[in-house]
Amino acid sequence: MAKDAVKHDKIAVDRERCKGCGLCVLACDRKILAMSKKLNKKGLHYVEWNDLTNCKSCTLCAIICPEAVIEIYKES
Amino acid sequence: MTTQKVLMCGNEVLAEAAVRAGCRCYFGYPITPQNEISAYMSKRMPEIGGVFIQAESELAAINMVFGASAVGVRAMTSSSSPGVSLKQEGISYIAGAELPAVIVNVMRGGPGLGNIGPAQSDYFQAVKGGGHGDYHQIVLAPYSAQEVSDITFLSFDLADQYRMPVMILTDGVIGQMMEPAVIEKKEVRNLLPKDWALTGCRGRKPNVVKSLYLGDKVLERHNLKLQERYRQVAAHEVRYDAYHLDDAELIVVAYGICARLCKSAMNDLRAKGMRIGMIRPVTLWPFPSRIISQVAGTGKSFLTVEMSFGQMVEDVRLAVNGKSGVHFYGRGGGEMLTREEVLKEMERLYAQLRGGKNV
Amino acid sequence: MKKIFGRTPSLTDAPTHYCGGCGHGIVHRVLCEVIDELGLRESTVGIAPVGCAVLGYDYWNFDVSEAAHGRTPAVATGMKRARPDLTVFSYQGDGDLAAIGTAEIIHAANRGERITVIFVNNTVYGMTGGQMAPTTLVGQKTLTSPHGRKFEEFGEPIRVVELLSQFRGTAYAARTSVHNPVEVIKTKKAIKKAFQAQVDGIGFSIVEILSQCPTYWGMTPVQSVEYVRDELVKYFPLGTFKDETGAKASAV
C-alpha cells in the first residue's frame, strides 16, 4: 500500500490520492464512511471512518473508487 | 514467381517487389491509376499468409499501416493523389511515433478530383511534408519498372532502418507501363531488431508507441531526435543519376517519367554536338542539393522539367543559390509531356544561352 | 487479516489525471482486472484514444499505443491482423468513436475484426472543455449547446451498440454503466465476455459504458451518478444486445 495509506484492520485508503468524490460514502450501505473535514496535500477532503465494527469487508466502496486507492481486508 | 525477367506493369512490379521485400500487410482503397497494386495484393497476400484489406477509406488504410507497423510487421499502403491527401494526418502520426511504413503515391492530375492522367504535382506534398509538424519522409522516384522494383526493396529497408515513413512517388505512366524487370533484392542492409515494437510485454517492460509528448520541453527533445535522424538520412541516403556534368553548359533536372523523356532528348542533342547534361534525382527527399550546388557556376544553366507548374524547380533554385540561371518547362493538369516538346525547349534554351553568353 | 481487494497488476501505480468521481478510473480498473484474470497482460496491446483517456499509456501496465482521433479501430485492425496472437483493445470516448471515427468503428465491426472496443460514453468531449458530442442528450447543455441540444439543429444522440449489434461480424455488444458498485460489477462481466469473444476468435466485441462526467455536467460526483441512473439510462438502456460468445465458443 502507498506510503500515505492509513490502515485500520479492514480497510486501507491512500489519503493523498483520494480526490474526495464521495462515491464510496454513497456506496457503503452501512453508512460507515464519511468525507473528512481535513484536507490532503492536494487540498481535497478524503474519506475517513471512525467505527469499523459494522464493516463486513463487502468491498462495495473499493469497487466504486475511481482512483483504486481503497484496499479491503477480511479475517481469513 | 521466379527471379528471371518478367514483363509487368510498374504497379504490379511494385506489389510483387513489396511481397518479396517481406511486406506482410497491405491496406488499400480503390483509386485510379493505382488499382493494379491492390488487385495484385488481393490475390498475392493470401498466397503468402499475408494480410490484405480494402479499407473503408485511404485514411483508415494508413492507420491500419500504423497498427501493423507498431506490432513490428512490414506494412504498406498505396493510393493516388486525392487518396494520398487523406493519408497526410496518418503519415504525420507515423513520423511522430517513429514507425516504419511504405506509402505509394501513383500521382494523377490535380487539384481536387483532377483527372486520371499522369502528373508530378504532388511533389511539394511529398517532399515538404503534407501533414502537420516538422517531419520528413524519405521520397523515392523510380523511372522504370526495374527501378520500381529496386526502390521498393530499398524503401522497406530504409523505413525499418530509420523508423520513418518512406514514400514511393510514381505516376500513372510509370504505374501502368509494362516493361521487363527482374524482381530481386539487390542491396543488403543489416537492420536492428524491432525491440521497440508492441509484441506483448512478456520478459520486458511495456513498450509505448505514440506521438503525444506533453510536458515541458519533452516534444522539443523528441523533435531534436527526429531532426538528427533526418540529418543522418540526408548525409547517407541521397541518390541521383548524373550525365555529362563536366562539359555540360545546360543541365536538365528531371525525375520519374520526365527524366526518361529528357534523357532521350539529351542524347539526340548531344549527338548534334550540344553540351547538355542531366541530373536525375532518385531521392526527392533528401534532395541532391550538393551535386547541383557543386556544378552550378559560370557557364552553367539549369532547366527543370516537370509535369506540374513548377515545384521541384524551387529546390533546384535553392541549391543553385543564384550561381546560375534556373529555367523551368512543364505542363500540368495530367497532361503528358512529349519528348519532342522537351527536345525543342532544350534546343531553344541552349541556342539562347550560346547567343547571349551567361544568361 | 487477508487482503481481499487491491490494485491489480495491469494497473500501474501512477495517480490518474481524471477529475474526482470520473468514470474513466473505474473503467480502467475493471478493464485491467479482466486482463489479469484472463492472464492476458503479457500479450495485450491497448490503444488509447484522443480524449480524456489519451494518457492511458501511463495507467496501463502493458504495451500501449496512442492513435489519431477516431482511428483506433483502424489501428487495432492493423495490429490484430498483423499479429492475431496478440489481444488488442481499442479504448475510445464518444467523440472519438461516434463522431470523427464513425466510419472506422462501423467497418471494423462489419468486418468482424477480432478486437475489443471499450467505449466510454459520457455524452461530452471532456478533454477539450465539455463540448456537445454525438451522444449528448436532447436538451443537455454543453459548451457548444449552451441552450441545450435541439433535435431540429443537431439531431438525437446515437445509440452505438444497438447500431453495431446488427452486423453479423459483431459477436458481442453490450451497454453497461459504472454509476454504482453493482453496475461496475456488470461492466466487468461484460468486458470479460468481450475479451472472451476476442480470445475465442468469434468476432468483433464492444462494451459501451455510460460514464459520469461531474466536471462538464456541472454536478458533484454524487449528483452525476444519480443523473446517470435517472436520466442517461432512460435514453441509453443497459443490457446485452448481442452475445454469441456461448454458441460459437463451443463450435470453435
Side-chain angles (χ1 to χ4, degrees):
Chain A
M1 197 64 213
K3 57 182 174 20
D4 306 308
V6 170
K7 181 175 177 309
H8 202 281
D9 50 9
K10 296 171 195 163
I11 185 169
V13 173
D14 182 343
R15 290 181 165 178
E16 287 312 321
R17 284 174 53 167
C18 168
K19 290 179 180 167
C21 72
L23 294 184
C24 53
V25 174
L26 185 67
C28 176
D29 49 15
R30 292 163 181 262
K31 295 308 159 209
I32 294 167
L33 303 175
M35 295 321 291
S36 155
K37 294 284 177 295
K38 298 189 283 297
L39 304 178
N40 63 18
K41 290 199 196 87
K42 285 214 169 81
L44 298 168
H45 297 287
Y46 49 80
V47 62
E48 67 178 13
W49 55 87
N50 35 42
D51 180 358
L52 285 177
T53 42
N54 289 336
C55 171
K56 289 291 169 275
S57 305
C58 71
T59 75
L60 285 183
C61 57
I63 286 173
I64 197 68
C65 175
E67 302 308 315
V69 292
I70 299 178
E71 281 190 352
I72 303 297
Y73 296 80
K74 200 170 189 177
E75 290 94 359
S76 47
Chain B
M1 207 39 110
T2 65
T3 57
Q4 32 94 324
K5 194 162 281 192
V6 291
L7 183 65
M8 283 163 80
C9 71
N11 281 342
E12 288 185 344
V13 167
L14 194 151
E16 180 56 30
V19 164
R20 295 186 185 187
C23 172
R24 284 298 169 269
C25 289
Y26 171 81
F27 309 104
Y29 190 84
I31 184 165
T32 303
Q34 62 81 57
N35 292 313
E36 292 80 8
I37 298 177
S38 9
Y40 190 89
M41 286 299 204
S42 67
K43 284 197 297 285
R44 193 81 169 88
M45 275 298 172
E47 285 173 4
I48 57 161
V51 173
F52 166 83
I53 295 182
Q54 180 174 294
E56 56 271 27
S57 69
E58 292 94 343
L59 184 152
I62 189 73
N63 280 284
M64 291 177 187
V65 168
F66 184 105
S69 176
V71 297
V73 174
R74 283 190 159 180
M76 178 173 104
T77 184
S78 66
S79 186
S80 173
S81 309
V84 179
S85 291
L86 284 178
K87 294 181 191 290
Q88 295 307 311
E89 178 199 47
I91 292 172
S92 174
Y93 273 73
I94 283 171
E98 298 177 82
L99 285 174
V102 173
I103 304 110
V104 182
N105 181 1
V106 184
M107 290 183 282
R108 64 187 252 174
L113 195 49
N115 68 16
I116 55 171
Q120 297 183 324
S121 38
D122 303 352
Y123 175 92
F124 279 152
Q125 182 193 64
V127 169
K128 305 300 175 187
H132 56 287
D134 286 300
Y135 74 93
H136 281 292
Q137 57 185 357
I138 296 172
V139 182
L140 295 140
Y143 79 153
S144 68
Q146 182 59 59
E147 197 176 38
V148 163
S149 171
D150 302 340
I151 275 180
T152 299
F153 282 102
L154 176 64
S155 297
F156 280 97
D157 279 356
L158 287 173
D160 279 358
Q161 178 174 344
Y162 293 100
R163 285 175 63 186
M164 62 191 283
V166 175
M167 178 169 282
I168 302 173
L169 201 60
T170 69
D171 58 76
V173 173
I174 301 282
Q176 304 278 341
M177 190 167 55
M178 292 184 80
E179 285 189 288
V182 175
I183 302 173
E184 61 186 356
K185 189 178 175 78
K186 292 192 173 129
E187 285 178 49
V188 179
R189 290 172 182 242
N190 38 44
L191 301 173
L192 297 174
K194 297 182 177 180
D195 44 22
W196 48 264
L198 307 178
T199 52
C201 63
R202 186 188 315 281
R204 62 167 168 73
K205 247 171 22 49
N207 283 336
V208 178
V209 169
K210 66 181 174 69
S211 57
L212 179 70
Y213 289 90
L214 297 172
D216 208 17
K217 301 187 183 61
V218 178
L219 183 58
E220 183 180 38
R221 273 199 303 276
H222 180 62
N223 268 274
L224 289 172
K225 184 172 79 168
L226 296 180
Q227 289 297 320
E228 175 47 31
R229 181 172 304 162
Y230 299 146
R231 269 191 292 279
Q232 290 304 323
V233 175
H236 301 296
E237 305 298 346
V238 171
R239 287 163 182 254
Y240 61 88
D241 286 349
Y243 306 88
H244 316 299
L245 297 190
D246 35 21
D247 78 340
E249 292 172 31
L250 173 62
I251 298 166
V252 180
V253 183
Y255 69 92
I257 191 63
C258 276
R260 293 274 289 264
L261 310 175
C262 295
K263 197 166 132 186
S264 167
M266 172 184 71
N267 291 334
D268 285 4
L269 296 179
R270 282 200 74 89
K272 286 201 253 171
M274 292 187 197
R275 284 204 281 278
I276 297 178
M278 185 167 137
I279 293 172
R280 175 177 77 96
V282 176
T283 54
L284 301 184
W285 193 89
F287 192 67
S289 307
R290 187 176 304 133
I291 180 66
I292 294 175
S293 171
Q294 281 163 358
V295 170
T298 50
K300 305 275 185 187
S301 282
F302 290 83
L303 170 65
T304 306
V305 179
E306 297 173 70
M307 276 165 20
S308 73
F309 291 98
Q311 296 188 22
M312 181 174 67
V313 61
E314 293 193 4
D315 283 333
V316 174
R317 284 206 181 93
L318 283 174
V320 167
N321 199 13
K323 293 186 284 183
S324 293
V326 177
H327 307 269
F328 169 74
Y329 184 81
R331 294 181 62 185
E335 286 313 311
M336 183 63 205
L337 276 170
T338 64
R339 201 185 79 92
E340 287 60 38
E341 70 182 296
V342 167
L343 186 137
K344 216 153 64 354
E345 175 58 18
M346 287 159 75
E347 214 165 15
R348 184 193 67 74
L349 192 54
Y350 189 81
Q352 186 183 321
L353 293 174
R354 299 291 296 181
K357 269 292 157 263
N358 200 348
V359 166
Chain C
M1 278 294 194
K2 196 164 72 63
K3 183 160 92 172
I4 59 166
F5 195 102
R7 287 178 82 94
T8 194
S10 277
L11 260 183
T12 68
D13 198 37
T16 71
H17 70 292
Y18 297 119
C19 309
C22 165
H24 273 299
I26 304 170
V27 175
H28 283 19
R29 202 195 68 246
V30 291
L31 165 65
C32 288
E33 284 169 0
V34 164
I35 286 171
D36 286 330
E37 284 162 24
L38 294 176
L40 294 171
R41 190 182 79 83
E42 291 185 336
S43 62
T44 290
V45 178
I47 310 169
V50 173
C52 284
V54 70
L55 299 183
Y57 50 81
D58 284 338
Y59 309 134
W60 301 333
N61 186 21
F62 40 77
D63 281 1
V64 179
S65 183
E66 187 279 308
H69 193 34
R71 317 308 175 199
T72 32
V75 171
T77 296
M79 287 179 172
K80 186 70 177 185
R81 291 284 189 115
R83 288 286 306 270
D85 54 313
L86 294 174
T87 302
V88 178
F89 73 83
S90 161
Y91 192 107
Q92 297 180 256
D94 38 55
D96 191 277
L97 182 140
I100 190 169
T102 318
E104 282 76 10
I105 193 68
I106 283 179
H107 288 280
N110 192 52
R111 287 191 304 262
E113 299 295 341
R114 271 58 166 174
I115 60 175
T116 300
V117 176
I118 307 298
F119 167 34
V120 176
N121 175 5
N122 61 7
T123 77
V124 287
Y125 284 80
M127 173 65 87
T128 45
Q131 291 82 2
M132 178 174 63
T135 51
T136 296
L137 296 184
V138 170
Q140 183 180 342
K141 289 191 172 69
T142 71
L143 190 61
T144 46
S145 61
H147 306 299
R149 177 180 186 169
K150 285 201 223 35
F151 168 74
E152 296 72 21
E153 236 180 338
F154 301 125
E156 260 196 343
I158 297 174
R159 293 190 178 95
V160 169
V161 277
E162 287 87 338
L163 184 72
L164 299 179
S165 58
Q166 297 164 39
F167 296 126
R168 191 169 146 222
T170 300
Y172 183 80
R175 178 181 296 117
T176 67
S177 173
V178 286
H179 67 272
N180 66 44
V182 171
E183 297 304 331
V184 171
I185 291 166
K186 286 186 194 160
T187 295
K188 180 173 175 178
K189 282 205 180 82
I191 290 177
K192 196 166 222 178
K193 279 211 153 213
F195 272 88
Q196 202 58 56
Q198 174 174 172
V199 167
D200 297 342
I202 300 165
F204 175 82
S205 54
I206 180 167
V207 181
E208 174 179 344
I209 304 157
L210 301 183
S211 167
Q212 61 274 11
C213 175
T215 300
Y216 291 113
W217 292 357
M219 300 173 188
T220 68
V222 170
Q223 287 166 337
S224 68
V225 291
E226 285 159 356
Y227 178 78
V228 173
R229 181 194 64 206
D230 301 337
E231 291 310 320
L232 223 53
V233 171
K234 276 198 214 122
Y235 188 86
F236 294 109
L238 305 180
T240 303
F241 297 86
K242 192 161 189 195
D243 183 356
E244 294 179 358
T245 49
K248 283 215 184 125
S250 54
V252 164

